[in-house]
Amino acid sequence: MSVCVRRSAAVALAASSLLFAAACGGSDSKGDKSAEKDTAKSSAPSAAAAGGAKSVTEAQLKAALLAANEVPAGWKADPEAGDSVGKADNRDCQKFLDLMQSQPAALGAAARQTSNFDNGGQQVFGFDADKAAGYLKGFDATVAQCASFNVDMDGEKAPATVKPLTVDKAGDEAHGYELVIDMGPVKMGFDNYVVRKGAALSTFSTKTKQPGAAPAAEFKTVTATVAKKLDQAIKS
């Protein structure tokens, strides 16, 4: 279902069908207090990982997907979730839409697997060699640059904002951001989480009834699982 943003009741229906879930979470590591203090808006990519990533297999991508028993109670599988949420008027800002919307061959990845639920969803991308690290290069600077922009949604312009979310260190690098799209009658908020391990990216997005309303503990639990499963899949 495409997201047609009409400033009417149709907007609310489209908004409720908008994508999945992701952001203020992290790894399941029991790091000490000093590590927690170092928790940043992103974790820096390691030089070794950025310089020698190997392509990943479809089996590895599938192994990194969330299972039904790994999401909050009440979430139902929704294969139809994950449609487009529009196009940014700033090419650099398009990244924040692409990371959370399910589209064939998104991000220039060689392969993609998805696991969608009615309250949120996940995508796992496999890149050739070091392209995953390249895609996330300068991520935090781009968040700042895209603090405010517009999204074209089926001919209608909707103001959008992006702000960083603090996430735990995980994988080779991890990032979090909140995306809010003002569609007139409603504002849709999406908390997003992105973690990279070698040549693979795992993203998780959760839509909220109102911006900033995603349950922090619930979100953190899911994103910790996302990071752990990606780590295990790429090691295998």
Side-chain angles (χ1 to χ4, degrees):
M1 179 186 70
S2 63
V3 180
C4 299
V5 180
R6 305 289 184 189
R7 304 186 185 280
S8 64
V11 177
L13 178 61
S16 67
S17 300
L18 287 177
L19 204 50
F20 17 63
C24 182
S27 71
D28 60 346
S29 172
K30 298 180 180 179
D32 58 20
K33 292 183 179 180
S34 62
E36 291 176 359
K37 289 181 180 179
D38 281 341
T39 297
K41 294 163 185 160
S42 69
S43 57
S46 65
K54 296 180 180 179
S55 297
V56 296
T57 66
E58 290 281 357
Q60 287 175 306
L61 297 182
K62 290 179 180 179
L65 290 175
L66 291 167
N69 64 349
E70 294 171 325
V71 297
W75 284 28
K76 296 179 181 179
D78 185 2
E80 299 301 320
D83 289 347
S84 170
V85 293
K87 184 175 181 180
D89 61 355
N90 182 319
R91 185 175 62 180
D92 292 335
C93 303
Q94 184 66 32
K95 177 177 296 187
F96 302 114
L97 303 179
D98 289 344
L99 283 167
M100 56 169 283
Q101 62 188 359
S102 176
Q103 292 183 348
L107 322 190
R112 176 177 62 92
Q113 293 289 330
T114 64
S115 183
N116 297 327
F117 302 89
D118 51 4
N119 286 50
Q122 178 195 20
Q123 297 192 93
V124 186
F125 300 94
F127 289 79
D128 292 329
D130 303 326
K131 291 182 179 179
Y135 187 84
L136 295 182
K137 185 177 181 180
F139 192 92
D140 292 339
T142 308
V143 169
Q145 174 186 333
C146 294
S148 178
F149 60 99
N150 291 311
V151 178
D152 186 329
M153 305 179 77
D154 198 38
E156 297 281 347
K157 284 190 176 181
T161 60
V162 170
K163 70 177 183 180
L165 291 175
T166 300
V167 299
D168 294 333
K169 292 182 178 180
D172 292 322
E173 58 180 307
H175 306 269
Y177 65 97
E178 178 194 74
L179 171 69
V180 176
I181 303 177
D182 185 349
M183 297 181 288
V186 295
K187 283 187 179 181
M188 285 301 297
F190 301 89
D191 284 353
N192 301 277
Y193 177 71
V194 186
V195 59
R196 179 180 68 82
K197 181 74 174 182
L201 295 183
S202 187
T203 71
F204 177 71
S205 263
T206 183
K207 60 184 178 236
T208 63
K209 293 181 180 179
Q210 58 186 19
E218 185 176 275
F219 185 75
K220 184 178 179 67
T221 298
V222 177
T223 53
T225 304
V226 168
K228 181 179 180 179
K229 295 202 73 170
L230 182 64
D231 186 66
Q232 293 174 335
I234 301 306
K235 283 182 179 178
S236 61

